[in-house]
């Protein structure tokens, strides 16, 4: 204690809570395999994030991460995933969205967000209200299914009076949610390099793809601005809808994260 009962400077420093560092995992479909490579680097470097927030495929990977799976365990599991088991329908004939959540339950069981070993949040969008919906409790499977329900590709997830679809419709890089839940620093892994890419084709599918690409660019600006470190592997050659080249995507995610190790270390040294 300082004079007159006031706490001295050193004691006040001890009481000050250390800054929180969040991991933000963006959407990008099958390109999300690159998230696994980045997480492998974080483990090797001992980066222990205080929370994880994900959108779309970032929510699926984030759920596994917060459940305590290692990068190697996720990579081993990824080898057995067949995209056709998840996306069974065609454009305008949406697939059953529960198949996405089952990717989690098959490996981890019917867990709730409250049961995860790290704080986890994921983003969906309610078609009824037109607003962002953030899962911070309840079924992990339902949360992940909702966050990944790309319109026209998957059916919306009905939760009460809400009709939930892919969080990337409004917030593809959910750094704002990291800040909302108390993050002082945000490390973002961005696996969607083709956002904003248009098309000179007039076919219906090309027009829809270009529309989503442009929309995704708009919904990512704020998230990138609110990120302290951005890991953005070069994934231009890979499709968001196919598993082809997944091992290369993991490698690119690993290499991109390695390049940012120094910047991330600085954040952890500030704690």
């Amino acid at each position: 204690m300082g004079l007159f009962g006031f706490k001295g400077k050193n004691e006040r420093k001890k009481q000050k809570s250390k800054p929180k560092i969040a991991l933000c995992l963006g959407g990008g479909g099958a390109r999300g395999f690159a998230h696994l490579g980045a997480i492998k680097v974080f483990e090797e470097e001992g980066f222990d994030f205080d929370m994880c927030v994900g959108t779309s495929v970032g929510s699926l990977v984030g759920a596994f991460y917060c459940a305590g799976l290692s990068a190697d365990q996720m990579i081993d599991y990824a080898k057995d995933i067949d995209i056709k088991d998840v996306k069974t329908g065609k454009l305008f004939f949406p697939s059953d969205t529960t198949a996405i959540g089952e990717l989690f339950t098959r490996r981890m069981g019917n867990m709730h967000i409250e049961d995860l070993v790290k704080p986890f949040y994921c983003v969906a969008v309610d078609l009824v209200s037109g607003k962002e919906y953030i899962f911070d409790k309840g079924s992990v499977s339902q949360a992940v299914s909702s966050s990944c329900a790309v319109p026209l590709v998957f059916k919306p997830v009905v939760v009460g009076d809400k009709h939930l679809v892919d969080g990337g419709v409004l917030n593809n890089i959910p750094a704002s949610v990291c800040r909302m839940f108390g993050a002082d620093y945000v490390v973002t892994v961005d696996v969607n390099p083709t956002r904003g890419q248009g098309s000179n084709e007039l076919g219906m599918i090309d027009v829809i793809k270009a529309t989503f690409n442009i929309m995704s660019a708009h919904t990512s600006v704020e998230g990138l601005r609110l990120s302290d470190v951005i890991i953005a592997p070069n994934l231009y050659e890979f499709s968001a809808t196919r598993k082809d080249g997944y091992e290369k995507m993991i490698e690119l995610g690993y290499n991109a994260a390695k390049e940012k190790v120094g910047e991330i270390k600085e954040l952890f040294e500030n704690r």
Side-chain angles (χ1 to χ4, degrees):
M1 256 327 158
L3 293 175
F4 309 111
F6 293 111
K7 292 179 180 177
K9 184 178 179 181
N10 289 336
E11 290 176 271
R12 289 198 301 272
K13 279 187 177 179
K14 288 179 184 177
Q15 283 211 330
K16 185 179 179 181
S17 59
K18 64 182 182 180
K20 290 184 179 180
I21 304 177
L23 175 60
C24 174
L25 301 177
R31 294 183 181 122
F33 284 109
H35 283 316
L36 307 183
I39 289 174
K40 187 170 178 63
V41 172
F42 302 151
E43 289 177 352
E44 290 174 353
E45 297 293 335
F47 297 144
D48 187 16
F49 293 95
D50 298 294
M51 69 180 78
C52 180
V53 181
T55 290
S56 199
V57 69
S59 73
L60 178 60
V61 176
F64 281 121
Y65 173 71
C66 290
L69 252 63
S70 69
D72 285 340
Q73 287 174 318
M74 286 188 267
I75 291 169
D76 284 341
Y77 184 44
K79 294 175 183 176
D80 299 325
I81 293 175
D82 189 337
I83 300 296
K84 292 179 181 178
D85 292 337
V86 180
K87 184 180 175 296
T88 56
K90 297 181 179 179
L91 198 63
F92 305 117
F93 296 93
S95 301
D96 183 356
T97 318
T98 59
I100 301 171
E102 286 173 2
L103 291 176
F104 182 86
T105 55
R106 281 207 304 267
R107 181 63 176 78
M108 305 304 302
N110 294 308
M111 295 184 72
H112 281 66
I113 291 173
E114 300 93 317
D115 301 325
L116 299 175
V117 297
K118 281 183 180 292
F120 169 71
Y121 311 94
C122 73
V123 180
V125 172
D126 178 20
L127 291 178
V128 178
S129 67
K131 296 180 180 179
E132 181 177 273
Y133 183 84
I134 300 167
F135 282 92
D136 62 351
K137 60 184 177 181
S139 165
V140 174
S141 175
Q142 185 180 69
V144 167
S145 293
S146 302
S147 187
C148 293
V150 179
L152 301 181
V153 178
F154 293 100
K155 298 175 183 177
V157 177
V158 179
V159 179
D161 59 354
K162 297 175 176 60
H163 298 170
L164 301 174
V165 297
D166 194 305
V169 171
L170 286 179
N171 195 353
N172 198 50
I173 302 288
S176 60
V177 180
C178 298
R179 303 288 184 182
M180 182 187 306
F181 285 97
D184 297 285
Y185 302 110
V186 178
V187 175
T188 287
V189 185
D190 177 11
V191 296
N192 190 8
T194 58
R195 70 168 58 90
Q197 191 175 71
S199 173
N200 59 6
E201 301 294 331
L202 295 176
M204 181 62 70
I205 293 177
D206 292 309
V207 170
I208 290 173
K209 284 183 177 179
T211 300
F212 276 110
N213 283 338
I214 294 167
M215 179 182 68
S216 176
H218 177 73
T219 66
S220 300
V221 171
E222 183 70 357
L224 294 172
R225 186 185 72 80
L226 290 172
S227 301
D228 295 284
V229 177
I230 300 169
I231 297 165
N234 184 350
L235 302 170
Y236 281 91
E237 65 180 286
F238 302 100
S239 169
T241 59
R242 293 194 299 272
K243 187 182 177 181
D244 301 349
Y246 79 95
E247 290 175 316
K248 182 64 176 178
M249 285 189 265
I250 293 170
E251 179 185 345
L252 290 170
Y254 181 93
N255 292 339
K258 269 292 189 185
E259 292 176 1
K260 298 288 185 171
V261 164
E263 294 179 39
I264 300 171
K265 277 184 177 178
E266 288 184 13
L267 300 182
F268 279 89
E269 288 168 358
N270 287 334
R271 284 152 64 98

